[in-house]
């Protein structure tokens, strides 16, 4: 009986030759065949969906890593730009900005004024 159930449900051998006559002779057995088949089908479907979801999750994590790398590269570029702007603003060449240099720089260095505007300052 177990071999017949295995052959019919798992292997899919001869549903018409094995399962149908058994179900016709004993209808209550149909519940076992149907339950076993549904369990197998949903188990396989669940496995397929799990593989698909895992693949997409892995691709998303790779995407997150590439986005983080791009943001890091942008940060480095922006810091270089700011360094150049601060060098233009540093009137006395001391390497430090005073309040007066910042105010004067906001008036005469257009890029610095744009940064301040973006920062809403």
């Amino acid at each position: 009986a177990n071999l017949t159930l295995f052959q019919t449900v798992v292997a899919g051998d001869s549903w018409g030759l094995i399962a149908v006559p058994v179900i016709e002779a004993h209808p209550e057995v149909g519940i076992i065949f149907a339950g076993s088949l549904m369990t197998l089908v949903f188990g396989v479907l669940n496995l397929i969906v799990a593989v698909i979801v895992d693949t997409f999750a892995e691709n998303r994590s790779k995407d997150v890593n590439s986005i983080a790398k791009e943001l890091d590269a942008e940060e480095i570029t922006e810091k270089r730009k700011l360094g150049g702007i601060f060098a233009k603003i540093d009137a006395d060449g001391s390497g430090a900005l005073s309040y007066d240099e910042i105010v004067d720089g906001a008036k005469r260095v257009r890029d610095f004024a744009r940064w301040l505007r973006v920062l809403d300052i």
Side-chain angles (χ1 to χ4, degrees):
N2 287 332
L3 179 60
T4 301
L5 181 66
F6 179 80
Q7 283 180 327
T8 304
V9 175
V10 176
D13 289 346
S14 308
W15 267 92
L17 296 175
I18 297 173
V20 173
V22 171
I23 293 171
E24 286 175 352
H26 302 284
E28 66 277 1
V29 176
I31 296 171
I32 295 172
F33 277 112
S36 300
L37 181 63
M38 290 177 72
T39 300
L40 183 69
V41 167
F42 287 120
V44 170
L45 284 175
N46 191 20
L47 181 65
I48 292 169
V49 169
V51 168
I52 291 170
V53 168
D54 186 50
T55 302
F56 280 112
E58 186 176 319
N59 288 338
R60 177 182 159 84
S61 71
K62 288 179 183 176
D63 249 352
V64 169
N65 289 336
S66 66
I67 291 171
K69 287 179 184 177
E70 289 174 10
L71 289 174
D72 289 342
E74 285 180 26
E75 180 183 356
I76 291 169
T77 303
E78 297 298 328
K79 285 181 179 179
R80 285 185 186 146
K81 287 180 184 177
L82 277 174
I85 291 171
F86 291 153
K88 289 179 187 177
I89 294 173
D90 189 14
D92 61 2
S94 66
L97 296 175
S98 67
Y99 178 76
D100 293 332
E101 287 175 323
I102 292 173
V103 171
D104 182 51
K107 293 177 185 173
R108 66 180 173 85
V109 179
R110 182 176 290 238
D111 290 337
F112 186 57
R114 288 183 185 150
W115 273 96
L116 293 175
R117 186 172 178 197
V118 168
L119 295 173
D120 199 26
I121 297 175

